[in-house]
Amino acid sequence: MVDPALGTPELYEPRLPLLTLTEAHGLLDVLQHFSAMDYDWGDQARHFAAELAARVPSRDA
């Protein structure tokens, strides 16, 4: 079930093959939040946050 409050697109809507810059920055925020947590997922979140940050332009650019 899709929660309309979350703004999740329906499955039948076409999606871009890549994230938009806004989506990438949002995901980076989430990963950075989880990377600060001290549990098993923190290491993976730190890894993927660093990888994503290396691939997308900064917000300041």
Side-chain angles (χ1 to χ4, degrees), residues 31-50:
L31 289 170
Q32 288 172 337
H33 169 79
F34 279 102
S35 71
M37 303 297 167
D38 187 26
Y39 56 92
D40 294 339
W41 290 96
D43 288 337
Q44 283 188 318
R46 277 187 290 283
H47 167 76
F48 286 115

Side-chain angles (χ1 to χ4, degrees), residues 11-36:
L11 294 177
Y12 57 83
E13 290 184 18
R15 291 188 176 155
L16 296 173
L18 302 174
L19 297 174
T20 65
L21 191 55
T22 301
E23 290 170 331
H25 285 148
L27 179 56
L28 187 56
D29 290 342
V30 170
L31 289 170
Q32 288 172 337
H33 169 79
F34 279 102
S35 71

